[in-house]
């Protein structure tokens, strides 16, 4: 749940035909389109601040759009108020779920979410694979540590989790912020990560405008203006955090971003509000919104992708108002060893249309010979 575009704009729904395309650049690089409509919407920074904690980036869909029935009849991970398993990393308590046997898959959630957001994916994937779902530091049931949050913090957390807990060649699967975290972790662990699946991933491509020259702060800026700005940010973000974590507000926002609201249930709401009750949650939210979120361009998709060589799957909700299908197209153009599956869903297709996401993952995994040979290379 990581907004790439925070500018406000109008929304439009553009009819598109259903079609299937195959790329000739790579043997395992099909582009499968499963959507009749595309939604183009912007999101203001204020909307992201107020809704980010509760929606994990789910999409706003036009009322005329038909979507697949979500999750009906699917097995769901039992909700445990005390969490599942815990691991100590750099002195911090980290929560994770572990289910199944077989080749390991590590699921990484988006901003504001937790391992429980994979509730319909873990049981299905665990029938064929060993599935881990990890709570990033500062989120979910992991410790709300008062650290300076940065993409490299989560990169190191995932890399150490692979080394200390998984200990085998692995597939990383990430949604939104978790997607970009999967990419930078794969860059750090190229011998252990043998494939990556991204669901509406965060991250931006670099541009010439990103290279700016830092100027020295004046005494007035350093001693007066900067502290005043921080005080204003803290007060404003503190109010927005309090407002966003109220259960009624959570339910209202979720119902506005899930087209089919049958999945907006007590399970989902509690998986979001319970971590927000942690005494440090407000401070973590402030640090994320005022520092980390303002430095998104520090790490770019092209700089990370240029260092990778493993197969990549993009499972993309084309109706996502934050991270539209154009990004998936650009990633595939930049990184040819990519399979793209386009779905008629929003920013969190794994919870909105889990049966389609599960199928896309299993189908793609079945094409990877590295799953059967990687254990001999590490």
């Amino acid at each position: 749940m990581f907004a790439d575009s925070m500018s406000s704009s109008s929304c439009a729904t553009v009819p598109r035909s259903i079609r299937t395309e195959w790329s000739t650049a790579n043997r395992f690089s099909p582009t499968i389109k499963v959507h009749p409509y595309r939604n183009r919407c912007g999101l203001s920074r204020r909307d992201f601040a107020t809704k980010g904690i509760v929606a994990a980036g789910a999409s706003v869909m036009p009322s005329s759009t038909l979507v697949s029935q979500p999750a009906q009849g699917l097995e769901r991970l039992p909700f445990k108020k005390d969490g599942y398993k815990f691991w100590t990393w750099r002195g911090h308590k980290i929560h994770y779920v572990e289910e199944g046997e077989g080749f390991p898959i590590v699921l990484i959630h988006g901003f504001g979410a937790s391992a429980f957001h994979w509730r319909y994916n873990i049981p299905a994937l665990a029938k064929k694979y060993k599935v881990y779902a990890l709570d990033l530091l500062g989120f979910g049931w992991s410790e709300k540590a008062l650290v300076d949050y940065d993409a490299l913090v989560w990169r190191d957390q995932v890399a150490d989790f692979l080394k200390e807990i998984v200990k085998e060649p692995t597939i990383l699967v990430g949604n939104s912020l978790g997607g970009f975290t999967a990419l930078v972790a794969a860059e750090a662990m190229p011998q252990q990560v043998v494939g990556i699946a991204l669901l509406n991933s965060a991250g931006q491509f670099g541009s010439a405008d990103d290279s700016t020259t830092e100027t020295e702060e004046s005494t007035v800026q350093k001693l007066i203006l900067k502290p005043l700005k921080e005080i204003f940010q803290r007060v404003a973000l503190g109010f927005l955090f309090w407002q966003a974590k109220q259960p009624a507000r959570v339910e209202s926002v979720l119902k506005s971003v899930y087209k089919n609201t049958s999945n907006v249930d007590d399970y989902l709401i509690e998986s979001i509000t319970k971590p927000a009750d942690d005494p440090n949650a407000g401070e973590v939210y402030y640090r994320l919104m005022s520092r980390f979120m303002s430095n998104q361009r520090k790490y770019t998709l092209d700089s990370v992708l240029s260092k990778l060589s493993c197969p990549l799957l993009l499972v993309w909700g084309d109706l996502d108002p934050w991270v539209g299908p154009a990004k998936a197209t650009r990633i595939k153009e930049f990184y040819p060893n990519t399979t793209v599956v386009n779905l008629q869903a929003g920013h969190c297709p794994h919870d909105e249309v889990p049966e389609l996401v599960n199928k896309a993952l299993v189908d793609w995994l079945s094409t990877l010979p590295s799953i059967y040979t990687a254990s001999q290379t590490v």
Side-chain angles (χ1 to χ4, degrees):
M1 185 219 63
F2 196 109
D4 287 87
S5 172
M6 297 195 184
S7 60
S8 180
S9 67
S10 61
C11 302
T13 302
V14 182
R16 295 182 60 87
S17 60
I18 301 174
R19 66 183 186 275
T20 300
E21 301 173 355
W22 286 84
S23 168
T24 58
N26 185 283
R27 180 183 176 189
F28 299 120
S29 298
T31 298
I32 307 167
K33 294 188 178 292
V34 197
H35 68 291
Y37 294 93
R38 176 173 299 172
N39 181 275
R40 296 194 299 239
C41 300
L43 184 75
S44 70
R45 189 177 183 88
R46 182 183 184 279
D47 283 342
F48 177 72
T50 56
K51 298 178 181 179
I53 189 175
V54 299
S59 70
V60 178
M61 295 190 221
S63 59
S64 61
T65 301
L66 299 177
V67 298
S68 301
Q69 290 295 319
Q72 293 186 2
L74 291 185
E75 184 179 354
R76 187 174 70 179
L77 181 75
F79 182 76
K80 294 185 178 181
K81 292 185 178 181
D82 296 326
Y84 278 75
K85 293 187 174 184
F86 291 89
W87 163 61
T88 300
W89 177 68
R90 297 183 179 178
H92 303 301
K93 189 177 181 182
I94 302 298
H95 173 250
Y96 69 98
V97 177
E98 179 182 346
E99 298 284 337
E101 295 294 336
F103 194 90
I105 300 173
V106 177
L107 309 177
I108 309 172
H109 62 79
F111 190 103
S114 70
F116 289 113
H117 205 204
W118 302 99
R119 53 185 174 163
Y120 293 115
N121 314 107
I122 294 171
L125 296 174
K127 293 176 181 178
K128 297 187 68 172
Y129 305 100
K130 188 167 191 175
V131 181
Y132 298 90
L134 179 68
D135 281 1
L136 297 176
L137 186 70
F139 295 111
W141 274 247
S142 286
E143 184 175 335
K144 308 301 175 290
L146 302 184
V147 301
D148 290 331
Y149 286 91
D150 185 278
L152 301 188
V153 171
W154 296 311
R155 177 202 67 181
D156 293 347
Q157 178 192 343
V158 173
D160 288 344
F161 185 80
L162 297 182
K163 288 187 287 188
E164 297 179 22
I165 302 297
V166 181
K167 301 178 182 178
E168 297 180 65
T170 309
I171 299 291
L172 296 182
V173 180
N175 169 237
S176 195
L177 172 63
F180 191 74
T181 300
L183 288 175
V184 293
E187 178 192 347
M189 302 288 289
Q191 298 302 312
Q192 192 169 352
V193 178
V194 297
I196 309 166
L198 305 180
L199 286 68
N200 294 65
S201 179
Q204 299 176 343
F205 281 90
S207 68
D209 296 336
D210 294 337
S211 54
T212 57
T213 303
E214 293 186 7
T215 57
E216 186 176 350
E217 288 183 315
S218 68
T219 301
V220 172
Q221 288 175 319
K222 188 180 297 183
L223 299 181
I224 300 176
L225 297 182
K226 188 174 180 179
L228 285 175
K229 179 181 177 182
E230 290 179 353
I231 291 171
F232 174 78
Q233 284 182 328
R234 186 172 292 278
V235 172
L237 289 172
F239 172 74
L240 292 175
F241 174 77
W242 175 85
Q243 182 186 51
K245 74 174 187 175
Q246 302 305 311
R249 174 64 174 167
V250 171
E251 182 176 7
S252 174
V253 171
L254 287 170
K255 285 186 174 180
S256 75
V257 297
Y258 276 60
K259 172 61 178 179
N260 187 321
T261 60
S262 61
N263 274 2
V264 180
D265 51 18
D266 291 341
Y267 181 120
L268 181 60
I269 293 169
E270 188 169 3
S271 75
I272 294 166
T273 58
K274 184 172 175 58
D277 286 335
D278 185 283
N280 287 344
E283 176 63 21
V284 169
Y285 181 77
Y286 167 75
R287 294 184 182 208
L288 288 167
M289 296 303 298
S290 64
R291 301 174 193 179
F292 174 71
M293 292 299 295
S294 63
N295 288 321
Q296 294 181 41
R297 295 182 184 273
K298 189 175 180 181
Y299 310 100
T300 62
L301 285 171
D302 41 315
S303 66
V304 177
L305 288 169
S306 63
K307 299 173 184 175
L308 299 177
S309 60
C310 64
L312 177 65
L313 171 67
L314 304 180
V315 181
W316 220 264
D318 278 1
L319 301 181
D320 184 351
W322 294 353
V323 190
K327 176 185 276 190
T329 301
R330 189 170 180 187
I331 291 175
K332 183 175 176 60
E333 291 172 351
F334 186 89
Y335 194 81
N337 191 12
T338 299
T339 302
V340 181
V341 178
N342 297 82
L343 298 177
Q344 184 184 296
H347 191 65
C348 303
H350 58 292
D351 195 55
E352 191 172 334
V353 285
E355 68 284 3
L356 298 181
V357 172
N358 293 340
K359 184 180 186 304
L361 287 170
V362 171
D363 288 351
W364 175 71
L365 289 167
S366 69
T367 69
L368 302 182
S370 56
I371 284 186
Y372 307 104
T373 61
S375 60
Q376 302 172 8
T377 64
V378 176

